[in-house]
Amino acid sequence: MSTGNQALNIGVFSVFVLITLFIVYRASSRNVTQSDYYAAGSSFTGGQNGIALAGDFLSAASFLGISGAIAVTGYDGFLYSIGWVVAWLMGLMLIAERLRNTGRYTLGDVLAFRMRQRPVRAAAANATLVISLFYMIAQMAGAGGIVALLLDVHSKAGQAVVIAVVGVVMLFYVLVGGMKGTTWVQIIKAVLLLLSVSMITVFLLGKFGFDLSAILRGAAERSPLGDAVLSPGAKYGATGTTKLDFLSLALALVLGTASLPHVLMRFYTVPNAREARRSVTWAIWLMATFYLCTLVIGFGAMALVGPDAIERAPGRENSAAPLLAFHVGGTVLLGIVAAVAFATILAVVAGLTLTASASFAHDVYANVIKRGQADTRSEVRVARLTAVVIGLLSIIGGIAANGQNVAFLVALAFAIAASANLSTILYSLFWKRFNTSGTLWAMYGGLVSCVVLIVFSPAVSGTPDSIVPGVDFHWFPLSNPGLVSIPLSFLFGFLGTVLSKTPADQRKQAEMEVRALTGLGSGLR
């Protein structure tokens, strides 16, 4: 890439950062209480929060990872998109309203409502920290890949420096702006991202005479897999193991979305349950539009750039969308798209950091260590210190995972979220007999089993595409453990409950049911 192109990329990205930093600074002047810092004072409408939800969810995995997966494997890469869009229906029908009525700031508020507070809040915080860290590592890995194209930085050391810069800017968003500033950054980023993918899609369709079939024919001709890329099975249908891997992946994608702490925390930024439902409806429509565009972009990249060229590029699969932008719109479109992709990573990591730090400060510091006696200023201070620690760990992890497909890495975070959180959320909201022992068994059993299976899976070692390709200590055959760890978490929760000699608190359970259905007593109406 030419020097002029690098200057344009830096310029566009710098303008976005400066504008959003100003917005974050202005929003920070209103961060007076816990509610302001954690939940933006519940001041956003359903439409605004829906756009922010889309911004939080449409990460580097969606923009770079999915378009890259489609560009290399075809139809099978699009299965990520289908799983994520369908997943939001569970959030809309089962979780959004009840969660908003029951909690205040974090998932721990809901899970600990009718349980023993200290152990359950500690478990919820531990799960949130692990999930957020996995998710953030994926985003930082995406940052390394996109920067290699943005600035023509090919050395690992150079990419590591830029990943660190992303982490520092992200920390400013969180430390200064809190949830209100971060939400406005998400809204701006979501609008820019949707405009960018729409623009590439229109330009690309125009290049092929607005004939989608022509794009698909060109993709099949360019791919070494031929027409196989247009139907299921190019990646996940070769053997029985790959079919199981796909089933496991699909389960993690569909069930993990409604279990992600940073997504669940967004329901507290609206004033009532009705607006929480509207948030999900807005998010579904925006994301369905986005993923349809990535389908065109992925096959367009396969047709114009070619899978071989994409695999050889810095960032590998993650570089498909920026390379296509250069082919379709030249230097200017590449600069805009790459900067928006970079901003996407920045904003999503900020949301994740805020969620992780809020969970530790509110659930562990305020309610476990201080036993509910912490003052507002000290709790927010602990949240900011936690954000710094989480940010540093994500930078280190992102540098280590640089070059991996970010959609694949994020799918592992989804498996952990579904394994640790989904069973406890559903049991807490819908099973009267569920108790503290069941909660702890489900959370820790699902979390530990999922992480252990990931460590000993082909995702970490044993294949050329593993995170540690030079060694082989895997014994679990599936790259994504969701097929095993998610049912295990439900089983652990059931066994922990029925084998426990301590009955559930019937009075608190009845109060939670009334609050979840009506919002009465929650202080939200």
Side-chain angles (χ1 to χ4, degrees):
M1 294 183 193
S2 65
T3 304
N5 184 48
Q6 296 168 31
L8 175 68
N9 294 335
I10 295 172
V12 174
F13 179 64
S14 299
V15 168
F16 175 87
V17 170
L18 290 173
I19 291 173
T20 52
L21 286 177
F22 175 74
I23 292 170
V24 166
Y25 176 75
R26 289 295 301 271
S28 68
S29 62
R30 299 168 189 163
N31 280 337
V32 179
T33 66
Q34 292 166 293
S35 179
D36 291 330
Y37 187 79
Y38 293 150
S42 299
S43 60
F44 286 96
T45 66
Q48 290 172 331
N49 195 51
I51 299 172
L53 261 175
D56 233 340
F57 192 77
L58 297 177
S59 63
S62 296
F63 187 35
L64 302 178
I66 290 179
S67 57
I70 296 171
V72 174
T73 62
Y75 183 96
D76 281 10
F78 187 56
L79 295 172
Y80 284 93
S81 304
I82 298 170
W84 280 333
V85 173
V86 170
W88 282 94
L89 297 176
M90 175 178 287
L92 177 63
M93 293 187 293
L94 294 178
I95 291 175
E97 181 177 358
R98 288 171 176 262
L99 197 78
R100 179 63 189 91
N101 282 340
T102 308
R104 296 295 294 174
Y105 304 129
T106 67
L107 179 61
D109 289 337
V110 178
L111 300 182
F113 187 87
R114 60 187 180 98
M115 312 297 176
R116 285 193 293 128
Q117 293 281 312
R118 297 181 74 197
V120 172
R121 284 189 180 275
N126 288 333
T128 296
L129 290 171
V130 173
I131 295 162
S132 299
L133 191 58
F134 263 81
Y135 210 117
M136 290 167 70
I137 287 172
Q139 304 306 314
M140 290 300 196
I146 194 67
V147 165
L149 283 170
L150 270 170
L151 309 180
D152 201 24
V153 177
H154 291 268
S155 70
K156 290 291 185 182
Q159 292 177 28
V161 170
V162 181
I163 289 174
V165 171
V166 173
V168 170
V169 178
M170 166 271 297
L171 281 174
F172 182 87
Y173 285 164
V174 175
L175 297 178
V176 176
M179 179 59 88
K180 187 168 290 185
T182 301
T183 298
W184 280 114
V185 170
Q186 298 288 16
I187 291 172
I188 295 169
K189 182 221 86 173
V191 171
L192 289 176
L193 184 59
L194 285 163
L195 287 175
S196 297
V197 296
S198 300
M199 186 165 50
I200 298 174
T201 302
V202 171
F203 286 178
L204 181 61
L205 287 170
K207 203 173 184 72
F208 284 86
F210 291 94
D211 183 359
L212 182 59
S213 296
I215 296 177
L216 297 178
R217 283 195 302 271
E221 291 170 1
R222 195 74 182 268
S223 172
L225 299 173
D227 290 340
V229 297
L230 304 180
S231 58
K235 182 176 182 180
Y236 293 114
T239 65
T241 301
T242 54
K243 290 178 181 178
L244 281 176
D245 224 344
F246 165 65
L247 183 59
S248 188
L249 172 67
L251 199 64
L253 297 180
V254 172
L255 300 182
T257 299
S259 315
L260 291 171
H262 71 292
V263 169
L264 297 174
M265 193 170 172
R266 283 240 155 261
F267 295 136
Y268 303 131
T269 65
V270 292
N272 52 54
R274 178 175 175 271
E275 294 300 308
R277 291 196 306 274
R278 286 189 65 222
S279 297
V280 180
T281 304
W282 271 78
I284 288 173
W285 281 107
L286 292 172
M287 283 184 278
T289 302
F290 174 86
Y291 286 127
L292 286 175
C293 290
T294 60
L295 177 65
V296 179
I297 291 170
F299 279 111
M302 183 184 290
L304 293 180
V305 182
D308 292 337
I310 292 169
E311 290 281 22
R312 289 195 303 268
R316 300 178 62 190
E317 291 182 18
N318 303 323
S319 64
L323 287 174
L324 176 65
F326 183 71
H327 273 72
V328 172
T331 300
V332 174
L333 187 58
L334 172 63
I336 294 172
V337 168
V340 169
F342 209 29
T344 293
I345 294 166
L346 195 62
V348 171
V349 172
L352 288 162
T353 304
L354 181 65
T355 301
S357 61
S359 181
F360 180 83
H362 182 64
D363 292 323
V364 177
Y365 174 76
N367 287 284
V368 175
I369 298 175
K370 291 294 185 178
R371 298 177 181 269
Q373 303 300 314
D375 62 273
T376 299
R377 292 183 63 183
S378 65
E379 186 175 330
V380 173
R381 185 170 62 249
V382 169
R384 287 174 168 151
L385 289 172
T386 307
V388 173
V389 175
I390 292 292
L392 293 175
L393 290 175
S394 69
I395 290 170
I396 295 169
I399 292 171
N402 191 9
Q404 294 288 316
N405 183 294
V406 286
F408 169 73
L409 291 174
V410 163
L412 297 180
F414 276 67
I416 297 173
S419 301
N421 290 339
L422 183 65
S423 60
T424 53
I425 293 171
L426 295 181
Y427 279 152
S428 295
L429 294 175
F430 297 103
W431 189 18
K432 294 181 180 181
R433 190 177 172 184
F434 195 50
N435 58 21
T436 300
S437 295
T439 303
L440 298 177
W441 278 43
M443 292 199 80
Y444 283 124
L447 179 66
V448 172
S449 64
C450 190
V451 171
V452 168
L453 292 178
I454 288 174
V455 170
F456 294 103
S457 75
V460 175
S461 71
T463 70
D465 296 326
S466 299
I467 295 174
V468 188
V471 296
D472 184 2
F473 50 82
H474 90 281
W475 49 261
F476 183 67
L478 305 180
S479 296
N480 191 297
L483 186 63
V484 175
S485 59
I486 296 172
L488 272 179
S489 70
F490 279 91
L491 178 62
F492 284 138
F494 174 78
L495 292 176
T497 299
V498 298
L499 296 177
S500 172
K501 296 180 180 179
T502 305
D505 188 327
Q506 297 299 322
R507 184 184 64 81
K508 293 293 290 183
Q509 190 281 326
E511 181 183 347
M512 181 177 182
E513 186 172 13
V514 171
R515 181 178 294 194
L517 291 173
T518 67
L520 295 175
S522 63
L524 300 174
R525 293 176 180 269

